[in-house]
Amino acid sequence: MTKKYSNKINKIRTFALSLVFIGFIIMYVGIFFQKHPIVMTIFMILGLLAIIGSTVVYFWIGMLSTKALQVECPNCGKPTKILGRVDMCMHCREPLTVDPELEGKEFDESYNRKKKK
């Protein structure tokens, strides 16, 4: 079974979006504790913290995205952003690299990890 890869920026945006929904679900669970105001308040605060965390993650990936290298995908011809040495096209999931040593090699996200000296 092959591992499904995706663009790093899209992965982080998906995580931030899931934090929003998780926050809403936590807050919704708090409604079931209306007879216990302290428990309900705890759930509401936890949900709010998840939503605030999502905002922080969205801000962080937005700032990271502005510094990402923008290239044109050789497969689909659309512009895409690359984080690290290897990444996937945001549109067609074509493996992309900016390192000439990695051209022609099998795609592996471990190429982005720092080498131990």
Side-chain angles (χ1 to χ4, degrees), residues 2-108:
T2 61
K3 187 175 177 184
K4 183 180 173 187
Y5 294 104
S6 139
N7 182 274
K8 285 186 225 54
I9 292 174
N10 287 344
K11 280 183 188 177
I12 297 170
R13 285 180 181 154
T14 301
F15 171 70
L17 181 63
S18 66
L19 273 178
V20 171
F21 289 113
I22 289 169
F24 283 136
I25 290 168
I26 292 171
M27 290 173 131
Y28 186 74
V29 168
I31 292 174
F32 294 111
F33 295 99
Q34 287 181 356
K35 293 184 181 179
H36 308 283
I38 293 175
V39 176
M40 182 180 80
T41 304
I42 290 171
F43 274 101
M44 293 297 172
I45 290 172
L46 289 175
L48 181 66
L49 288 176
I51 294 171
I52 290 171
S54 158
T55 305
V56 170
V57 172
Y58 268 123
F59 179 77
W60 172 69
I61 194 59
M63 298 311 292
L64 195 61
S65 179
T66 60
K67 297 176 184 175
L69 178 65
Q70 188 168 358
V71 298
E72 185 176 313
C73 175
N75 189 33
C76 66
K78 295 180 181 176
T80 189
K81 294 183 178 183
I82 295 180
L83 290 177
R85 293 171 65 197
V86 294
D87 206 351
M88 300 295 265
C89 175
M90 291 178 165
H91 310 285
C92 68
R93 295 199 171 148
E94 173 78 16
L96 301 171
T97 184
V98 291
D99 191 346
E101 295 177 12
L102 299 177
E103 285 184 24
K105 289 186 178 181
E106 184 72 26
F107 181 82
D108 190 1

